Each structure stands twice: as structure tokens, then as C-alpha cells.
Amino acid sequence: MSLVLTDYNHSVLYNAVVSNLVLNGVQALLYHKNNDNDNTTEDAAQQQQVQACQQIASQVQCAHGDWLGLLEQKDNNNDSIVEPFDVILAAETCYTWRAAQETCRLVAQLLNPKSPSSVALIATKRYYFGVGGGSEAFLQALQEYPQLQATTVQVVDNGRQNIREILQVTRRSN
């Protein structure tokens, strides 16, 4: 298992996302340390948790910048450095028509074709005023990828703010 966390902005990724990962990992370790009652099984449990945290940390990658730029990065054998994913989570990535198209392209290229249960969940506003993006723009752009299908799995409408939706994208079965 691996986890790739991305954001266009370096500062968001490292000041918010990474710092929260670190704080949560440290907080879990401090909890065990503060509740230590000098028991060897407790030491073993704490040591096991430290090892689990280290293993998880070794499988987390962070990347900032344009998502499509990630697709273009190649290793020494000219293979993509990004492997297909079983789960893709995206939020606020469809804020313009072009961004909705790019999100579709990314999902089409990175949603694991070998896993029948692979899924992408796209959280977006129904409409971004003045810039033309949103869930409708994403669904229109998705029509260029006949191998993919989308359904709306959640609508959040409190009557006061822009309607938000979560779209579930899967590969069509052959």
C-alpha cells in the first residue's frame, strides 16, 4: 500500500497536510508514552506502534504542482513514476472548465484498470460562479472517456451556500 498526497501549492501541502500527519503520529506516540505504567507489554505495544508509524511514513509520498505534470514525469526506463491507484480522492479540483477536463484526464489515466473495485471520489461544488467549473463541467468532460462512468453519491445543500456534490467514478465493466 502507498499513499500519494498532492496539492498544487507547496505551502498547503507542507504547512497543512504534512504537519497534520506529523502531529497525529506524534500525538499517538505521546498518548502511549503518557499512559505508560512501566509494563513490558506496554513497551512492546509502544515499540510496535513506532514501527507501524515508520512503515506508514515510508509509504507516503508528497508532491506539489500541476497533477498533469506528475503524469509526465518518467524514470530512467521512460516509465511513468506514478503507478495506477485503487482509490483516488479529489476535492475542489473542478473549479474551471479546464480544471474539470484535467481532473477527468488524470482519473482516466490513474484509476487502476486491473482492479475492478478501483474508484475515484470527486468532491466539488455544483457550480463555480464566474469561472464555469463544477460537477456539471466534470460530468460533461467525462464523456470523452467512455471507459469511465460517474454517479452522484452525495449532495450537500443547506439552502444557504453553493450546493456541493461527491461524484463516484468507476471503470465500466466490459
Side-chain angles (χ1 to χ4, degrees), residues 12-118:
V12 169
L13 188 64
Y14 287 97
N15 293 330
V17 176
V18 172
S19 61
N20 274 298
L21 287 172
V22 169
L23 287 172
N24 284 305
V26 170
Q27 194 172 39
L29 294 176
L30 288 176
Y31 173 79
H32 277 287
K33 185 171 183 134
N34 290 337
N35 290 318
D36 189 10
N37 51 3
D38 295 324
N39 187 336
T40 56
T41 57
E42 199 61 23
D43 289 338
Q46 183 178 5
Q47 189 174 28
Q48 200 171 26
Q49 186 169 14
V50 168
Q51 289 172 345
C53 286
Q54 290 171 336
Q55 181 181 12
I56 291 169
S58 71
Q59 297 172 348
V60 175
Q61 298 174 36
C62 295
H64 66 279
D66 185 356
W67 279 10
L68 295 180
L70 293 175
L71 293 176
E72 295 166 4
Q73 293 181 18
K74 306 290 183 192
D75 65 12
N76 293 338
N77 296 325
N78 206 29
D79 293 325
S80 175
I81 62 167
V82 180
E83 297 290 325
F85 295 101
D86 293 331
V87 177
I88 297 173
L89 303 175
E92 304 297 337
T93 60
C94 300
Y95 46 86
T96 65
W97 171 250
R98 182 171 181 229
Q101 290 175 310
E102 290 174 355
T103 301
C104 284
R105 179 177 166 206
L106 182 85
V107 169
Q109 287 189 259
L110 292 180
L111 194 60
N112 192 347
K114 295 178 182 173
S115 173
S117 61
S118 63

Side-chain angles (χ1 to χ4, degrees), residues 87-161:
V87 177
I88 297 173
L89 303 175
E92 304 297 337
T93 60
C94 300
Y95 46 86
T96 65
W97 171 250
R98 182 171 181 229
Q101 290 175 310
E102 290 174 355
T103 301
C104 284
R105 179 177 166 206
L106 182 85
V107 169
Q109 287 189 259
L110 292 180
L111 194 60
N112 192 347
K114 295 178 182 173
S115 173
S117 61
S118 63
V119 63
L121 295 172
I122 313 297
T124 186
K125 293 176 184 171
R126 185 172 283 173
Y127 185 76
Y128 288 83
F129 294 99
V131 290
S135 55
E136 199 59 41
F138 178 84
L139 292 171
Q140 286 178 359
L142 195 67
Q143 292 176 5
E144 293 182 36
Y145 301 94
Q147 74 273 27
L148 300 176
Q149 61 188 0
T151 56
T152 302
V153 294
Q154 181 77 39
V155 176
V156 179
D157 182 3
N158 64 9
R160 295 179 304 211
Q161 297 174 336

